[in-house]
């Protein structure tokens, strides 16, 4: 699954300077300014007016205090339904939606000093045991809701007769990471026509330009506020961007964009210039089944509010990986125990773990997220049948 350059003892982060070629996928390079070492793919410090990383905490380059995150402004009223492909104007920054300040120079210095970006060699020994069982896709019939895990945060969701992709990443590599530990669970050639694509935010492991290039340019893309321009520059003609608590409907299926505890960044100069969040999918014309896709998120107060506004979630697709070291990632990536707690806050009946077992993004052993989420589910006294810990490539029907 990995070539000589991707052996565990040579795992390393790529550093691509602005104006050079980014990560290469099956359809060629994504040529946009790229990430710096030591950050999540597409997520590096941005030089602000004071010379320090934009929007973070700690000290600036001059040793003075960094400005804290601003409390979030009021988002639109719940349930506003927007028109497809509506062209909208947005503020220059969404930094006031941050739940917590971004890391500052002190945090980056500590990360560089500790070098805790990858698992120890023994933590990589579990790669051959990562669950990978690709199978045929279920049929997408009205009244049927099915999910197939393609890996990381990429799902094929069959709902209301539609085929929907979430954060599709079919590339073997993304910027700043070694090659995939496991192949994609669904061959691109086996996908039926895609009716819609949901994007949670613009980090490279969730917004993959080479994968999107494979889609017809009239494919409906549903994206966070501020991201439509990026998509339209790549030729997509049906792009709908939403603020938190807004929705769009497509052929009887409703897609609500909801908050997350995360952030956005893709280049050196665009910190928080687009929004981030998750999605609630509801089969309004059929069964009323409701699926929550969390995207990428830390743990916090939003889960209870999402559950209050969207009661009766049948399945929560929840991230459980990329959480170590905890001091560095706790604000933006839930760990397995927090994912179980978030599922309970949502009032969701079932949970399917994701965001683990695909890319090496952090320092925990590669199999640890699965073992910990199973243990946390059991400690919470929840029905084991409602934890859908699917292998990559496997499907489940609601």
């Amino acid at each position: 699954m990995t070539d000589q350059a991707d052996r565990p003892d040579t795992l390393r982060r790529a550093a691509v300077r602005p104006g050079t070629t980014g990560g290469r996928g099956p359809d060629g390079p994504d040529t946009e300014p790229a990430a710096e070492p030591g950050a999540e793919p597409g997520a590096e410090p941005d030089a602000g007016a004071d010379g320090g990383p934009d929007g973070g905490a700690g000290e600036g380059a001059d040793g003075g205090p960094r400005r804290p995150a601003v409390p979030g402004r009021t988002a639109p009223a719940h349930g506003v339904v927007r028109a497809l492909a509506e062209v909208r104007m947005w503020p220059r920054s969404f930094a006031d939606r941050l739940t917590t300040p971004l890391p500052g120079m002190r945090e980056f210095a500590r990360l560089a000093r500790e070098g805790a970006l990858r698992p120890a060699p023994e933590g990589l020994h579990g790669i051959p045991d990562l669950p990978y069982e690709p199978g045929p896709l279920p049929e997408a019939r009205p009244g049927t809701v099915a999910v197939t895990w393609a890996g990381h945060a990429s799902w094929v969701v069959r709902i209301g007769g539609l085929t929907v992709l979430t954060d599709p990443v079919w590339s073997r590599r993304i910027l700043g990471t070694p090659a995939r530990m496991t192949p994609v669970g669904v061959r691109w050639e086996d996908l039926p026509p895609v009716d819609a694509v949901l994007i949670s935010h613009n980090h490279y492991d969730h917004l993959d330009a080479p994968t999107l290039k494979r889609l017809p340019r009239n494919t409906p893309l549903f994206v966070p506020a501020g991201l439509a321009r990026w998509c339209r520059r790549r030729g997509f003609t049906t792009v709908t961007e939403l603020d938190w608590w807004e929705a769009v409907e497509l052929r009887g299926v409703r897609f609500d964009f909801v908050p997350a505890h995360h952030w956005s960044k893709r280049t050196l100069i665009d910190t928080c210039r687009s929004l981030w969040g998750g999605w609630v999918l509801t089969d309004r014309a059929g069964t009323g089944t409701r699926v929550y896709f969390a995207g990428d998120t830390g743990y916090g107060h939003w889960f209870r509010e999402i559950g209050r506004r969207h009661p009766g979630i049948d399945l929560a697709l929840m991230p459980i990986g990329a959480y170590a070291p905890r001091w560095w990632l706790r604000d933006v990536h839930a760990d397995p125990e927090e994912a179980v707690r978030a599922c309970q806050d949502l009032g969701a009946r079932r949970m399917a773990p994701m965001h683990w077992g695909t890319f090496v993004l952090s320092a925990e052993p590669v199999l640890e997220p699965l073992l910990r989420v199973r243990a946390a589910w059991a400690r919470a006294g929840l029905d084991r049948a409602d934890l859908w810990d699917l292998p990559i490539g496997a499907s489940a029907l609601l």
Side-chain angles (χ1 to χ4, degrees):
M1 274 181 276
T2 55
D3 56 27
Q4 185 71 12
D6 301 317
R7 290 173 50 200
D9 60 339
T10 60
L11 294 176
R12 60 191 182 275
R13 264 205 198 278
V16 184
R17 303 304 304 172
T20 64
T21 301
R24 180 175 296 273
D27 293 329
D30 177 11
T31 54
E32 52 183 295
E36 290 291 314
E40 183 179 1
E44 70 291 327
D46 178 26
D50 60 358
D54 180 32
E59 295 179 351
D62 59 0
R66 302 292 312 286
R67 58 188 181 276
V70 181
R73 62 173 172 266
T74 302
H78 169 58
V80 176
V81 179
R82 310 299 307 202
L84 281 171
E86 180 181 0
V87 177
R88 306 175 66 180
M89 300 293 292
W90 299 105
R92 182 171 176 81
S93 174
F94 293 92
D96 57 352
R97 305 289 186 91
L98 290 168
T99 309
T100 186
L102 297 178
M105 297 298 291
R106 181 176 297 170
E107 289 81 10
F108 277 97
R110 178 181 173 185
L111 188 70
R113 185 171 63 251
E114 294 182 0
L117 291 174
R118 295 288 184 261
E122 58 271 19
L124 295 166
H125 293 165
I127 289 177
D129 299 320
L130 290 170
Y132 177 76
E133 298 177 14
L137 288 171
E139 291 186 33
R141 299 186 305 270
T144 296
V145 176
V147 296
T148 304
W149 189 29
H152 202 54
S154 302
W155 293 85
V156 183
V157 182
R158 323 298 293 281
I159 182 168
L162 303 181
T163 297
V164 180
L165 302 184
T166 68
D167 288 356
V169 179
W170 260 250
S171 296
R172 182 171 176 266
R173 286 180 178 274
I174 55 171
L175 180 69
T177 72
R180 303 174 77 104
M181 295 184 289
T182 46
V184 184
V186 180
R187 296 193 314 162
W188 190 264
E189 297 77 14
D190 294 337
L191 284 174
V194 175
D195 297 294
V197 173
L198 305 181
I199 300 296
S200 64
H201 66 299
N202 70 354
H203 286 158
Y204 282 84
D205 57 325
H206 294 260
L207 178 63
D208 183 52
T211 299
L212 293 184
K213 288 178 184 176
R214 297 179 172 208
L215 293 165
R217 295 306 185 265
N218 63 348
T219 304
L221 305 185
F222 301 150
V223 303
L227 200 51
R229 183 180 177 185
W230 185 95
C231 300
R232 291 182 182 125
R233 285 203 310 265
R234 284 152 178 80
F236 288 95
T237 58
T238 311
V239 185
T240 307
E241 52 187 347
L242 300 180
D243 203 339
W244 289 346
W245 309 122
E246 293 184 336
V248 65
E249 294 190 6
L250 181 67
R251 305 206 310 261
V253 179
R254 176 169 167 140
F255 302 87
D256 285 84
F257 189 54
V258 296
H261 298 275
H262 206 62
W263 66 307
S264 70
K265 188 177 186 70
R266 197 168 177 89
T267 75
L268 290 171
I269 58 173
D270 68 348
T271 303
C272 296
R273 299 229 178 130
S274 61
L275 199 50
W276 52 91
W279 294 90
V280 176
L281 296 70
T282 306
D283 182 10
R284 290 169 61 88
T287 62
T289 302
R290 182 163 283 169
V291 177
Y292 167 65
F293 168 67
D296 207 353
T297 182
Y299 178 75
H301 70 283
W302 283 127
F303 296 108
R304 195 172 299 277
E305 181 66 12
I306 293 167
R308 186 184 71 81
R309 299 191 189 207
H310 298 280
I313 293 173
D314 296 282
L315 173 65
L317 309 176
M318 291 295 303
I320 66 167
Y323 52 79
R326 205 73 199 111
W327 67 265
W328 174 250
L329 292 168
R330 72 164 62 91
D331 294 326
V332 293
H333 287 163
D335 66 22
E337 293 77 17
E338 290 169 335
V340 172
R341 194 182 320 155
C343 185
Q344 294 176 293
D345 291 350
L346 290 163
R349 178 178 173 184
R350 307 172 186 87
M351 185 179 101
M354 64 172 185
H355 206 271
W356 76 281
T358 306
F359 296 107
V360 178
L361 299 175
S362 54
E364 73 271 7
V366 296
L367 277 171
E368 183 181 278
L370 178 63
L371 302 177
R372 282 177 56 173
V373 79
R374 288 173 174 171
W377 195 264
R379 284 196 303 271
L382 301 171
D383 189 338
R384 180 62 178 86
D386 290 333
L387 178 63
W388 288 5
D389 46 349
L390 301 176
I392 293 174
S395 302
L397 277 71
L398 286 161

